Amino acid sequence: MTDIDPQSAALRPQSTDAAAPLLIQLEGISKVFGGVKALQDVRFDIAPGEVLCLAGENGCGKSTLIKIISGVYQPEAGGTMLFDGKPMDKLTPGLARSLGIQVIWQDLALFPEMSVAENIAFEQNLGARPRLVDYGRIRQIAGRMLDRLGVAIDLEKPVRELSIAQRQMVAICRALVADARLVFMDEPTASLSKGETDALLVIVRRLASEGIAVVFVSHRLAEVLDVCSRVTVLRDGRYVGTYPTKGMTQTRLTELMTGRNFDQSVRAADRSAAPAVLSVEGLGREGDYAEIDLVVRRGEVVGLTGRLGAGRTELALSLFGMTRPDRGTIRLGGEVTDFRSNRDAIRAGIAYVSEDRLSLGLVQPQSIADNIALPVLGKLVDALGLLSKRRKAALVDDWIRQLAVKIGAPEHAVSTLSGGNQQRIVLAKWLATEPKVLILDSPTVGVDVGARAGIFEIVHRLAEAGMAILLISDEIPEVYYNSDRILHMRDGRIIADYVPGRDDIDAIEEAVHA
């Protein structure tokens, strides 16, 4: 990695058309929290019907800017905010909503026990006087919004029973009910399959065709370049520039976001002579996967890819002892294993980094130190059987140093960390168990591009030290540039294998998404 100059000729921003009418325009926006400059002299503008990307690494100030525009935070004195050419002073969340500014956060902020119709029509009842609920009107409003998007969802179904993609549609409909003119979408595709993502992008284009401005926040750079006309880049709270996406590449955008050049070269090596650490033969579990054969060797990174629903996570859960296969064998170091629980798998030397970091990977309210030490508490007791604070502190300090985790203090809640640093804590937690096999299930979900590179540097370092790694991801570039071999899973079966460098990345993407 090398530093770059964002204002070099090849990367110089291009201003928007001065004649184009702007829906919102910000100049000189700054925000300070306790002496820390979260934003400094930031610019932002968007026109009606435009789809614009707000890009930057975690912690660059994207969320702070969104909260200023939606009235949650007040900017420092000296900046200007115009909406339809008129000043927006002392903006509040209520005033922002009345102007048509809507934010769809990554967690969607829906009510899981309420019906689809109730969630969609919720905005209609904000601030209203108490009255009897008119469920017929609620269903009518919700049905009209879904028809507007061309989406069919059961209005009576509780939101908790919907897929992530369906919940996205409910959140969009709720914004439309509030007469949205500007919609921020925060990581809307982070948990969607390729097909679901394509369907969402169709909806985004439909909103733009109706004159609604959409701000797209995503770490998936390919879809950003596909759906957006311009991209505004922030770095370390500062405005880098606004650039047309026409002619922009993922590599250039990554450079703008991070100020660094990243090595996108194939790292695949032939590990066939290395001893097998994990081997699976004829493994099957009714309804999840069937006839799985795979080998992961010492020092090897094996990529496992395929669409969501292919059975990848279900296979990983069986390898980690969370579910039991119906047939087939799992061998670890050549010996047949029969895991009855994840405790058995951990004792045998298998670690599993779940795709759901927030609820399964970490205990969010607990401290950074407690999360790292959790799987190995038995190794940290003293002669009296009590937890040794000294041993715990030494373990935590060692892994924070080894993985270069950026923290305030080990006693701080793990929820205070950025997505990339949280993922490093998950890695630290499992590496502390000294595993022979590391299963990484979508390890970069919700992690920005710079942090992703750091995580994969750790992965390669572990492989070089001899660890066997199974890397699961539906993002083909991730497995292509970080694996020695790639296995393609579909409908619960492994249907093909590829070697990066020998096989073309575009051909692999086409096969996986066919």
Side-chain angles (χ1 to χ4, degrees), residues 424-459:
R424 287 175 186 245
I425 295 298
V426 178
L427 284 170
K429 162 185 169 179
W430 288 114
L431 293 177
T433 67
E434 300 179 354
K436 302 170 185 173
V437 178
L438 177 62
I439 303 172
L440 299 170
D441 193 351
S442 303
T444 61
V445 168
V447 175
D448 64 55
V449 65
R452 289 183 183 204
I455 287 170
F456 283 119
E457 284 178 5
I458 294 169
V459 170

Side-chain angles (χ1 to χ4, degrees), residues 170-475:
V170 171
I172 293 171
C173 284
R174 188 170 69 183
L176 295 180
V177 167
D179 296 323
R181 297 184 64 196
L182 171 62
V183 178
F184 288 90
M185 293 187 175
D186 182 30
E187 293 291 343
T189 63
S191 300
L192 302 186
S193 68
K194 179 65 165 57
E196 290 168 335
T197 295
D198 290 343
L200 177 63
L201 298 187
V202 169
I203 298 297
V204 169
R205 293 187 179 97
R206 184 172 299 170
L207 296 178
S209 71
E210 296 179 6
I212 297 171
V214 179
V215 178
F216 211 72
V217 181
S218 176
H219 295 311
R220 293 184 172 183
L221 302 187
E223 66 196 25
V224 162
L225 299 179
D226 179 28
V227 76
C228 298
S229 59
R230 294 188 299 149
V231 52
T232 291
V233 181
L234 301 182
R235 189 196 311 150
D236 297 328
R238 293 177 178 270
Y239 175 77
V240 175
T242 298
Y243 307 82
T245 55
K246 185 177 182 180
M248 178 70 74
T249 65
Q250 293 186 53
T251 300
R252 284 183 63 196
L253 185 50
T254 299
E255 292 170 352
L256 290 167
M257 292 165 59
T258 64
R260 292 169 287 171
N261 287 309
F262 291 95
D263 181 17
Q264 282 283 62
S265 58
V266 173
R267 296 175 179 246
D270 183 2
R271 309 286 182 185
S272 58
V277 180
L278 173 70
S279 58
V280 172
E281 298 173 8
L283 207 67
R285 178 177 166 84
E286 191 65 34
D288 287 340
Y289 54 84
E291 303 303 323
I292 300 296
D293 296 327
L294 66 84
V295 176
V296 187
R297 300 181 180 278
R298 177 177 170 82
E300 183 177 38
V301 180
V302 174
L304 181 62
T305 192
R307 291 179 174 180
L308 292 182
R312 302 167 308 167
T313 294
E314 290 78 6
L315 173 61
L317 291 175
S318 290
L319 296 177
F320 190 55
M322 297 293 289
T323 60
R324 302 196 70 185
D326 303 323
R327 55 198 177 276
T329 58
I330 301 173
R331 286 186 171 85
L332 198 61
E335 296 184 8
V336 175
T337 62
D338 183 18
F339 301 143
R340 297 183 178 274
S341 70
N342 62 325
R343 290 187 182 89
D344 289 345
I346 293 169
R347 280 193 291 266
I350 296 182
Y352 173 55
V353 175
S354 166
E355 63 179 334
D356 189 349
R357 177 180 68 245
L358 295 181
S359 60
L360 297 179
L362 297 168
V363 184
Q364 291 289 324
Q366 290 193 6
S367 70
I368 295 164
D370 286 346
N371 272 276
I372 293 176
L374 190 60
V376 291
L377 289 176
K379 298 180 180 180
L380 302 177
V381 296
D382 58 22
L384 299 176
L386 301 175
L387 181 65
S388 169
K389 292 183 179 180
R390 180 182 58 79
R391 291 181 184 177
K392 177 182 174 183
L395 173 86
V396 170
D397 290 345
D398 183 44
W399 283 112
I400 287 174
R401 177 184 55 77
Q402 284 196 51
L403 301 188
V405 188
K406 295 179 181 178
I407 67 168
E411 295 75 29
H412 291 171
V414 75
S415 59
T416 62
L417 301 180
S418 68
N421 282 303
Q422 284 192 15
Q423 196 68 318
R424 287 175 186 245
I425 295 298
V426 178
L427 284 170
K429 162 185 169 179
W430 288 114
L431 293 177
T433 67
E434 300 179 354
K436 302 170 185 173
V437 178
L438 177 62
I439 303 172
L440 299 170
D441 193 351
S442 303
T444 61
V445 168
V447 175
D448 64 55
V449 65
R452 289 183 183 204
I455 287 170
F456 283 119
E457 284 178 5
I458 294 169
V459 170
H460 293 302
R461 195 163 71 237
L462 294 171
E464 288 169 4
M467 191 175 294
I469 298 173
L470 181 63
L471 171 62
I472 302 172
S473 177
D474 61 350
E475 296 196 34

